[in-house]
Amino acid sequence: MDRETTRSGATLQDVAREAGVSLATASRVLNGSTRTVNDKYRRLVVDAAARLDYSPNLSAQATARGMTTTVALLVADIADPYFSSIADGVVSEADREGLIVQIAATGPEPARELELVRTLRGQRPRVMILAASRHSTHAAPALSDELASFEANGGRVAIVGGNELPFRTLPVDNAAGADALARALATLGYRRFAMIAGDEGLTTSDDRLRGFAAGLEGSGLTLDSERVVRSDFTRDGGYEGMRRLVEAGLDDIELVFAANDVMAVGALAALRDAGFEPGRDLAIAGFDDIPTVRDVTPALTTVRIPLDEVGRRALRLALDDFEPATTAAVPTAVVLRGSTPAISALTPRPPSGP
Amino acid sequence: MDRETTRSGATLQDVAREAGVSLATASRVLNGSTRTVNDKYRRLVVDAAARLDYSPNLSAQATARGMTTTVALLVADIADPYFSSIADGVVSEADREGLIVQIAATGPEPARELELVRTLRGQRPRVMILAASRHSTHAAPALSDELASFEANGGRVAIVGGNELPFRTLPVDNAAGADALARALATLGYRRFAMIAGDEGLTTSDDRLRGFAAGLEGSGLTLDSERVVRSDFTRDGGYEGMRRLVEAGLDDIELVFAANDVMAVGALAALRDAGFEPGRDLAIAGFDDIPTVRDVTPALTTVRIPLDEVGRRALRLALDDFEPATTAAVPTAVVLRGSTPAISALTPRPPSGP
DNA sequence: TTGACGCTGGAAAGCGCTATCCATCGTACC
DNA sequence: GGTACGATGGATAGCGCTTTCCAGCGTCAA
């Protein structure tokens, strides 16, 4: 009845005693080792462990081994479907590897990324995956230092989508995807575009903007820089961006490209609230192909990124020992849906020009 | 140039040596303690730590203290907005407390919940939050045992929404919310209902079904049990459920209540694919008020649960030392939107009856 | 001047586990 | 029959950190 009696919280020591073997043997049986253990002892240990409801203390293992079984994942906002889909991929792959995922969110301030990396480093995770949309210049050197010293101590780093930091990176070809989208839209007959982009310096957004403009030029068209509005990289940012476009006059715009799907969804709402019908009065396209966009009306044209695959591959990239050759970029694919009908289906609105 | 030269990975020992103080003093300065340290030494230590870029090894702290700084969160599917919104709340509140969140996902098989709890227990988290929709009977005793022994060792448990397990529970009044919804819909003039529910035994779904039926009865109406179809608790499950309802004939149905929003969104799609216009030919309502449902067309009537607040409160519930009195349930609120217009706006379809 | 006492550093004993090293034993080989 | 060697169990020295416990010292009251 003393407090030792409360079962569980059993330690390996307890198991060894119960089984009548040494600590070392118990450890070898229960927690893997190169050494083999005689079946007689093995059975004793396993039974004792079961009887005591033993569960290894991962923290202790970690300090002893100097290595954890955790994966740290850094995202901007876990409630955003883009990130939660990636997280899903990371979690499921980690699960296959017997690893546990720790999630941290930077929230709207990118500066927190550095701080969080620092905190997470304390956990000595096996892998650190940075998926938070990073700003190009910001605290890059400090962040880079932090990550370098993490790697110097045996940690693995994988970065999703960026490509200016000297770490294993899973390229997402944002520029190429946006380029392909632009060409596809040109083929549909669209000629006059506007874009709702994220803040300048947000690499994801910048790449998509650049790619889109390039794709248009490749089709003999242009994206007037006056027609690019900047806004938060969120649903409400998209709403606000579209609001501003409407305010400035939509007359010479046929299609609005939002730098990501959540923004596009916000734009859709803003357009409707302004009395226009998306997909009829104005076409809209997004980027990412988050699950939601199949279900809005009209369904949204977008560039598909296989997000859960991104999560899985990011983890693999960090984990695997591989030739340091460039990793193949995640394939993107244009998905045309109802929000960008053939131009002929659009209510004709005369360009403002002569 | 020897491998000791690679800076970082500095240990507390290193800091102490560098500062010329004892290990104990360094520990007291850097990692909190009741003991005060002379300012002279304090400064020495802090400076040394900064110089060496020291970052405490949380695993080691955990084994020494017998207590971690992590929160384990168990969800069914992190890509589902319901769960990711809750996760968001947990993560942000944990952040305020200096805790780190570990996420595990059971996926479609509820049986994995037990297995995951067992694994997570190995981490000795400070708190374990179970948000995965639990099935009523399933492995309840085994799970209960596991959680009990976790608590016996100082862990804290919080369960979201369920209420049959003997642990701290954050009640979500699914039944009352569904009841209120039913009454609101009755007030709008609806008389003939169907429901797309989750599998029997899934408590969340069962409670909502029960509450909805009760609310209708309170309004002098009934929910014909033949009009309740069961399906997966997912978007595709909702699609499938609606498909079956359409197949069985919609003639005497005015409104379909889906047991959660993602199902409702799937139902919306199925309805459209079958050639009907939701909100005109048939009304639809969901439950949860995930962000998406504002943006589908028509916007979805639902019962709002403040999901991020649920996450935050679940963590607080686990963390706080409080009177073991019942915790106030999370308030739910009916939100009427375009998917359930006043009945007069619905295309009249004669009931199949006489 | 002498204790008693509060304050603060340091030594060292763990926390639960791993991994190295040593001891023992059985077997194969000449 | 003796030796070398592979197998396998046990003792034990850590892993990085916390937290007693003890010692030294300055202070204050008697």
Side-chain angles (χ1 to χ4, degrees):
Chain A
M1 282 305 165
D2 64 349
R3 76 182 180 295
E4 293 302 297
T5 310
T6 57
R7 87 153 167 321
S8 112
T11 160
L12 188 59
Q13 190 69 257
D14 299 336
V15 174
R17 191 182 314 121
E18 170 89 6
V21 301
S22 77
L23 185 58
T25 300
S27 170
R28 293 198 261 255
V29 171
L30 294 175
N31 304 318
S33 143
T34 50
R35 294 275 303 263
T36 72
V37 172
N38 182 303
D39 216 53
K40 181 179 75 181
Y41 289 91
R42 152 164 268 106
R43 197 172 304 277
L44 281 173
V45 172
V46 169
D47 288 354
R51 221 172 310 131
L52 297 181
D53 191 20
Y54 169 75
S55 135
N57 183 324
L58 263 33
S59 295
Q61 284 195 169
T63 72
R65 291 209 248 249
M67 160 137 293
T68 58
T69 56
T70 63
V71 173
L73 173 63
L74 205 64
V75 298
D77 174 10
I78 185 63
D80 181 325
Y82 172 81
F83 292 111
S84 67
S85 297
I86 290 179
D88 187 40
V90 173
V91 168
S92 67
E93 186 68 22
D95 197 65
R96 285 168 30 103
E97 294 281 336
L99 300 173
I100 288 177
V101 178
Q102 314 200 130
I103 293 202
T106 62
E109 319 134 56
R112 287 217 57 205
E113 187 166 40
L114 177 58
E115 179 190 337
L116 287 176
V117 166
R118 205 160 258 158
T119 305
L120 289 176
R121 189 149 78 81
Q123 293 276 3
R124 306 285 189 277
R126 188 117 111 211
V127 171
M128 210 180 289
I129 298 179
L130 304 200
S133 328
R134 283 161 326 87
H135 284 65
S136 51
T137 51
H138 215 74
L143 185 60
S144 205
D145 277 6
E146 198 70 27
L147 293 176
S149 77
F150 172 67
E151 279 199 328
N153 293 305
R156 306 286 200 125
V157 173
I159 297 181
V160 173
N163 45 10
E164 78 264 20
L165 256 39
F167 301 96
R168 295 185 181 195
T169 297
L170 182 63
V172 174
D173 213 336
N174 289 308
D179 185 302
L181 175 65
R183 289 169 195 271
L185 295 172
T187 303
L188 285 177
Y190 289 94
R191 292 292 173 268
R192 305 194 302 274
F193 303 85
M195 176 166 176
I196 305 175
D199 286 336
E200 206 160 349
L202 186 61
T203 51
T204 310
S205 173
D206 288 349
D207 290 351
R208 291 175 184 180
L209 167 55
R210 192 163 38 75
F212 194 71
L216 290 185
E217 279 181 33
S219 309
L221 302 168
T222 58
L223 177 63
D224 183 352
S225 69
E226 302 230 321
R227 288 294 179 207
V228 176
V229 301
R230 306 259 175 194
S231 191
D232 279 357
F233 218 48
T234 62
R235 189 252 182 213
D236 291 349
Y239 188 98
E240 168 65 11
M242 181 58 93
R243 205 191 51 70
R244 296 214 306 271
L245 283 176
V246 168
E247 208 172 84
L250 247 33
D251 288 349
D252 54 352
I253 302 177
E254 294 163 350
L255 184 147
V256 172
F257 171 45
N260 71 23
D261 280 348
V262 293
M263 293 180 96
V265 167
L268 224 52
L271 195 60
R272 242 184 214 120
D273 287 356
F276 297 92
E277 184 53 29
R280 196 194 62 198
D281 299 326
L282 182 73
I284 296 188
F287 205 115
D288 289 341
D289 199 27
I290 59 174
T292 305
V293 301
R294 287 186 306 173
D295 292 318
V296 297
T297 313
L300 207 62
T301 284
T302 189
V303 178
R304 174 166 168 67
I305 303 177
L307 293 170
D308 58 341
E309 185 189 328
V310 166
R312 275 195 297 272
R313 281 190 55 190
L315 182 54
R316 288 255 62 88
L317 176 64
L319 241 33
D320 294 348
D321 295 306
F322 67 116
E323 64 290 4
T326 333
T327 312
V330 175
T332 57
V334 174
V335 183
L336 297 174
R337 298 203 181 95
S339 70
T340 59
I343 187 77
S344 56
L346 223 61
T347 310
R349 270 169 299 110
S352 63
Chain B
M1 282 304 163
D2 65 349
R3 75 182 181 295
E4 292 301 298
T5 310
T6 57
R7 85 155 169 320
S8 111
T11 159
L12 187 58
Q13 190 69 258
D14 299 336
V15 174
R17 191 181 313 121
E18 170 88 6
V21 302
S22 78
L23 186 57
T25 302
S27 169
R28 294 198 260 254
V29 171
L30 294 175
N31 304 319
S33 143
T34 48
R35 294 275 304 264
T36 73
V37 172
N38 183 304
D39 216 53
K40 181 178 75 181
Y41 289 93
R42 152 164 269 108
R43 198 171 305 276
L44 280 174
V45 172
V46 169
D47 288 354
R51 222 174 308 132
L52 297 181
D53 191 20
Y54 170 74
S55 135
N57 182 322
L58 264 33
S59 295
Q61 284 196 167
T63 72
R65 293 209 246 247
M67 159 135 294
T68 58
T69 57
T70 64
V71 173
L73 173 63
L74 205 64
V75 298
D77 174 10
I78 185 64
D80 180 325
Y82 172 81
F83 292 110
S84 67
S85 296
I86 290 179
D88 186 40
V90 173
V91 167
S92 67
E93 186 69 21
D95 197 64
R96 284 167 32 100
E97 293 282 335
L99 300 173
I100 288 177
V101 177
Q102 314 199 131
I103 293 202
T106 61
E109 318 133 55
R112 288 217 57 205
E113 186 166 39
L114 177 58
E115 179 190 336
L116 286 176
V117 165
R118 207 159 257 158
T119 305
L120 288 176
R121 188 149 79 83
Q123 293 275 4
R124 307 285 189 275
R126 188 116 111 212
V127 171
M128 209 179 289
I129 298 179
L130 303 199
S133 327
R134 283 162 325 87
H135 284 66
S136 50
T137 51
H138 214 73
L143 184 60
S144 205
D145 276 7
E146 196 71 26
L147 292 176
S149 76
F150 172 67
E151 278 198 328
N153 293 305
R156 304 287 199 124
V157 173
I159 297 180
V160 173
N163 44 12
E164 78 264 18
L165 255 39
F167 300 95
R168 294 184 182 197
T169 297
L170 182 62
V172 174
D173 213 336
N174 289 308
D179 185 301
L181 175 65
R183 288 170 196 270
L185 294 172
T187 303
L188 285 178
Y190 289 93
R191 293 291 174 267
R192 305 195 302 274
F193 303 85
M195 177 166 177
I196 305 174
D199 287 335
E200 205 160 352
L202 185 61
T203 51
T204 311
S205 173
D206 288 351
D207 290 351
R208 292 174 183 181
L209 167 55
R210 192 163 39 75
F212 194 72
L216 290 184
E217 279 181 32
S219 311
L221 302 168
T222 57
L223 176 64
D224 183 352
S225 69
E226 302 229 322
R227 287 294 178 209
V228 177
V229 300
R230 305 259 175 196
S231 192
D232 278 356
F233 218 48
T234 62
R235 189 253 182 212
D236 291 349
Y239 188 100
E240 168 65 13
M242 180 60 92
R243 206 191 50 70
R244 296 215 306 271
L245 283 176
V246 168
E247 205 172 86
L250 247 35
D251 288 348
D252 54 353
I253 302 177
E254 293 163 349
L255 183 147
V256 172
F257 171 44
N260 71 23
D261 280 348
V262 292
M263 293 180 95
V265 167
L268 225 51
L271 194 59
R272 242 183 215 121
D273 287 354
F276 297 93
E277 184 53 29
R280 195 193 63 197
D281 299 326
L282 183 73
I284 296 189
F287 204 116
D288 288 340
D289 200 26
I290 60 175
T292 305
V293 302
R294 287 187 306 172
D295 292 317
V296 296
T297 314
L300 207 62
T301 285
T302 188
V303 178
R304 174 164 167 68
I305 304 177
L307 293 170
D308 58 341
E309 184 188 328
V310 166
R312 276 195 296 274
R313 281 190 55 190
L315 182 53
R316 287 256 61 87
L317 177 63
L319 242 33
D320 294 348
D321 295 306
F322 68 116
E323 65 289 3
T326 333
T327 312
V330 175
T332 57
V334 174
V335 182
L336 296 174
R337 297 203 180 96
S339 70
T340 59
I343 186 76
S344 57
L346 222 60
T347 310
R349 270 170 298 112
S352 62

